[in-house]
Every structure is written in structure tokens, then in C-alpha cells.
């Protein structure tokens, strides 16, 4: 494949769309532009599942390709990946710490203002700040850690990056295991049974880890899926059915086994959207258009920085005379997109260049 084809443009576009959904969800729940009452219909949780599947696919494609011609250079992979992820990530966390301190100073009771006990003495402050930069051991599901204790971060989207980093570091194991699977369909079915058990039991790490591995399995059959031609009626029906299931999971919570089943089917729907985005059809072409690729380009920067800005603007704009939630949402939308572009140019692009330079040493 050419370099441009090797980027898998539709997956970049899908990642950008997912980042936009998470961004709009946080505007909805932090600013309340449509008023209170009822769940938000922006599929933030489903977008995270899509992110994890996409990471499994994108990180696995090159190793699978090189398995056929002598193996993959894992020693150069690890520093490249860590630099690529952590330079923007730690910069965004540092911005969150500063923003949280400012919010605390002006008397805010927001999540970022309470994440660090600034009046607890230097020892407690240093501990809490170090915890914010811990993206390996204080892993959570955005609400609680593995032991059930609350875990509050100054920059809420950072929770998912813990899983991203863990998967990145254990990618060789996933590649080795999946490369030995001969019956992909049966293995996927077993994984989703485990996802159901995870939802039913409440043990969230199992389903989060498995979504990355589902992506690795898709990568192992990527060429077959990419060459698959889907008719327009089937493609449209698949997309609408998947989106309907995702939205149903947002508004209906029957509890117990029924809710675990619905959540599991929602995970399957996320996988279906990814597969349709890879196959030869309208969706792949739509996700490869310039606007979608622009969103994909800045998606990581947008994801890392938007919550900080939304929280700051929600606290600041009323003090400047703008109390309308719709007005604050509009300002947040423009400011976050502009700052994401700036962050991408100033922080992310240099981190990409640094990462690539490690491959040449």
C-alpha cells in the first residue's frame, strides 16, 4: 500500500468523529445548553469503545504485515509509542493541574478544582499532583479505580489513556496470541461472552481490555474486510441499526442481566460501525473526506484539552456577563476547536517528529 493508503483514512475520520462526540457530550453535561433532565444523547461511552477498537487495529497492522517478512522491530516501537502518547498527554495533564489550581483559587467546586487538595499541606499537594501524572497504576473507568475508590482527575479524559498505554506496552502479547487464532469468529464470540460477564459482574477492566484485543483480531483480517463490498441498503441498515442500539443503551437501563445484555450488544454495534468504516462502501468514502480527516488529525489534541477549556469557560463566562448556556456552549465549541489546532501544532506535531526520529536511531 502507498503511504496515504497505509494511513487507513476512513479510520482517521472515524476517530475524529468519535472525538467530536466525546467533546459534544462534555459540553452537554458541563454547560447544559439544552437544559437539565434526561441523559445526553451524545454517545460518549460508545465513542470510547470505538477508540479502543481503532487503537487495536491501527497499532497491529504494521506488526502483522512485518510478521511475513522477518518480524517487527519491537525495541524501536516501545520508545516511539511512549513518546507519541506521553508528550501530549503529560502536557495536557500539566495544563489541567494549573487550571484546577486557578479554579480552586476562585472558589469553584468543579471536578478539577477538587482533584488536588491544595489546602492539605505540601506533602498532600505533591502526592495528589504525582497521582495526576500516574497513568499506569491509578487506572479507572472515569469514576472509580480498580479497588472501587473514587478517582478524580484534573483532566477527566485522561482515564482512558491509562488503558491506551497499558495496551501499547502489551501489544506484542496481543499480536502473538491473536496470530495463533484460526477461528476468528469463534474467538470474537468468546470475547463478547466475556464482555457480557464484565458488564453483569461490574468488573470493568475485562471489557475495556478486550475491546483493544477485538481491534487486534480485526487487524489480523484487515485485508479481507477492506476488500469486502457492501451494498448501499445493507450498509445504511447496518449503520442505523448500530446507532439505534447505541442510543437505546443511553436511555434505557433495565438493570440486571437485561442491562448487561444491552451493553454487550452496544459493544457489538460499535464493532459493526468500525467494520463498515473499513469495508468498501459509502461510509468509508464519507469518513475519508477532508473535514473528517481534519477532525482525525486534531482528534488526540481535542480529546486531551477540551474538558479543561469547557470547565474554565463555564466558570468564567457568567462572570463576564454571558450567562446563557447556549452562548457558553457556542464559545466553548469555537475555543476548544481553535485550541486543539494550536495544541496539535505546538505540542503534538513535535512529539510525532520526536517519535519518528527514534525509529531512525
Amino acid at each position: 500500500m502507498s503511504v496515504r493508503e497505509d494511513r487507513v483514512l476512513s479510520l482517521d475520520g472515524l476517530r475524529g468523529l468519535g472525538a467530536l462526540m466525546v467533546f459534544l457530550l462534555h459540553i452537554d453535561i458541563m454547560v447544559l445548553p439544552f437544559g437539565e433532565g434526561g441523559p445526553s444523547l451524545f454517545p460518549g461511552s460508545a465513542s470510547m469503545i470505538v477508540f479502543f477498537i481503532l487503537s487495536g487495529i491501527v497499532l497491529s497492522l504494521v506488526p502483522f504485515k512485518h510478521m511475513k517478512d522477518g518480524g517487527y522491530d519491537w525495541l524501536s516501537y516501545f520508545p516511539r509509542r511512549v513518546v507519541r502518547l506521553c508528550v501530549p498527554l503529560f502536557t495536557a495533564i500539566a495544563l489541567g493541574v494549573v487550571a484546577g489550581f486557578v479554579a480552586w483559587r476562585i472558589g469553584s467546586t468543579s471536578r478539577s478544582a477538587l482533584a488536588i487538595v491544595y489546602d492539605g499541606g505540601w506533602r498532600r499537594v505533591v502526592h495528589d499532583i504525582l497521582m495526576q501524572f500516574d497513568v499506569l497504576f491509578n487506572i479507572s473507568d472515569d469514576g472509580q479505580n480498580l479497588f472501587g475508590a473514587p478517582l478524580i482527575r484534573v483532566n477527566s479524559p485522561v482515564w482512558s489513556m491509562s488503558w491506551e498505554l497499558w495496551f501499547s506496552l502489551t501489544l506484542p502479547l496481543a499480536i502473538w496470541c491473536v496470530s495463533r487464532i484460526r477461528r476468528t469468529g469463534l474467538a470474537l464470540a468468546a470475547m463478547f461472552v466475556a464482555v457480557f460477564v464484565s458488564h453483569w459482574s461490574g468488573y470493568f477492566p475485562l471489557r475495556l481490555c478486550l475491546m483493544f484485543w477485538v481491534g487486534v483480531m480485526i487487524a489480523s483480517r484487515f485485508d479481507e474486510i477492506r476488500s469486502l463490498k457492501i451494498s448501499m441498503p445493507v450498509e445504511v441498515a447496518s449503520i442505523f441499526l448500530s446507532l439505534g442500539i447505541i442510543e437505546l443503551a443511553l436511555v434505557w437501563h433495565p438493570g440486571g442481566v437485561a442491562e448487561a445484555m444491552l451493553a454487550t450488544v452496544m459493544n457489538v454495534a460499535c464493532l459493526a460501525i468500525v467494520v463498515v468504516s473499513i469495508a468498501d462502501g459509502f461510509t468509508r468514502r464519507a469518513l475519508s473526506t477532508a473535514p473528517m480527516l481534519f477532525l482525525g488529525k486534531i482528534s488526540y489534541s481535542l480529546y486531551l484539552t477540551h474538558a479543561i477549556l469547557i470547565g474554565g469557560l463555564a466558570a468564567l463566562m457568567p462572570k463576564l456577563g454571558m450567562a446563557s448556556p447556549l452562548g457558553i456552549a457556542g464559545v466553548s465549541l469555537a475555543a476548544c476547536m481553535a485550541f486543539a489546532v494550536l495544541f496539535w501544532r505546538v505540542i503534538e506535531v513535535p512529539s510525532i517528529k520526536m517519535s519518528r526520529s527514534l525509529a531512525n536511531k
Side-chain angles (χ1 to χ4, degrees):
M1 294 183 292
S2 69
V3 173
R4 184 171 174 82
E5 289 174 329
D6 219 12
R7 282 296 305 164
V8 192
L9 299 183
S10 61
L11 298 189
D12 284 346
L14 183 58
R15 183 185 297 106
L17 183 61
L20 180 64
M21 289 299 103
V22 174
F23 171 37
L24 294 176
L25 169 67
H26 285 154
I27 286 183
D28 194 12
I29 64 179
M30 295 171 72
V31 181
L32 300 174
F34 308 114
E36 298 187 45
S40 175
L41 297 181
F42 293 108
S45 297
S47 295
M48 295 311 308
I49 295 170
V50 169
F51 286 157
F52 290 174
I53 296 173
L54 290 179
S55 290
I57 295 172
V58 173
L59 288 182
S60 303
L61 285 176
V62 175
F64 275 130
K65 181 179 178 182
H66 283 280
M67 286 178 65
K68 302 174 183 178
D69 55 19
Y72 185 55
D73 184 5
W74 290 109
L75 289 180
S76 66
Y77 157 79
F78 286 112
R80 289 200 318 271
R81 185 60 179 165
V82 170
V83 167
R84 175 70 182 90
L85 282 179
C86 291
V87 171
L89 174 60
F90 287 166
T91 303
I93 294 172
L95 291 175
V97 170
V98 173
F101 176 73
V102 172
W104 173 75
R105 289 288 295 177
I106 65 176
S108 171
T109 57
S110 65
R111 179 173 181 165
S112 61
L114 302 178
I116 297 172
V117 184
Y118 289 106
D119 57 356
W122 278 108
R123 183 169 178 268
R124 177 60 186 272
V125 170
V126 171
H127 167 275
D128 288 355
I129 290 176
L130 290 175
M131 192 282 291
Q132 297 299 321
F133 287 91
D134 180 0
V135 292
L136 275 181
F137 302 107
N138 280 301
I139 52 178
S140 76
D141 63 345
D142 195 28
Q144 60 181 354
N145 62 21
L146 289 175
F147 303 102
L151 182 59
I152 304 176
R153 293 193 179 274
V154 293
N155 189 356
S156 58
V158 167
W159 74 269
S160 66
M161 300 312 301
S162 297
W163 297 102
E164 186 80 36
L165 190 56
W166 269 114
F167 172 70
S168 297
L169 295 177
T170 57
L171 179 62
L173 174 63
I175 295 289
W176 185 86
C177 291
V178 171
S179 66
R180 281 153 177 78
I181 293 175
R182 295 293 174 261
R183 301 180 67 179
T184 304
L186 184 60
L188 279 174
M191 284 188 176
F192 280 109
V193 169
V195 168
F196 166 77
V197 172
S198 174
H199 283 293
W200 172 73
S201 67
Y203 184 70
F204 64 82
L206 182 58
R207 61 181 176 270
L208 297 180
C209 292
L210 284 178
M211 287 302 99
F212 289 103
W213 281 58
V214 166
V216 178
M217 296 192 67
I218 296 302
S220 71
R221 297 290 185 267
F222 188 81
D223 290 338
E224 301 170 31
I225 298 172
R226 193 173 195 180
S227 61
L228 180 66
K229 293 185 180 295
I230 306 178
S231 66
M232 179 67 78
V234 172
E235 185 174 4
V236 171
S238 299
I239 291 295
F240 273 93
L241 178 61
S242 298
L243 292 177
I245 292 170
I246 289 169
E247 291 297 319
L248 179 63
L250 289 175
V251 300
W252 186 44
H253 302 284
V257 173
E259 185 155 1
M261 284 293 297
L262 177 59
T264 303
V265 175
M266 187 266 286
N267 284 46
V268 176
C270 292
L271 174 60
I273 289 175
V274 173
V275 169
V276 170
S277 302
I278 297 171
D280 185 4
F282 170 79
T283 303
R284 186 170 85 183
R285 291 188 289 274
L287 290 171
S288 302
T289 56
M292 299 309 302
L293 295 182
F294 168 75
L295 277 177
K297 181 189 297 183
I298 66 168
S299 61
Y300 189 35
S301 294
L302 178 64
Y303 182 74
L304 288 177
T305 61
H306 73 272
I308 303 170
L309 285 178
I310 295 171
L313 290 169
L316 179 63
M317 295 305 293
K319 298 181 183 296
L320 298 178
M322 180 180 284
S324 166
L326 276 174
I328 296 173
V331 173
S332 298
L333 182 63
C336 289
M337 294 298 291
F339 190 80
V341 173
L342 177 65
F343 191 89
W344 174 76
R345 289 188 178 278
V346 175
I347 303 298
E348 194 174 350
V349 169
S351 76
I352 293 172
K353 292 179 180 178
M354 188 186 308
S355 173
R356 289 174 179 170
S357 70
L358 294 174
N360 300 323
K361 294 182 178 179

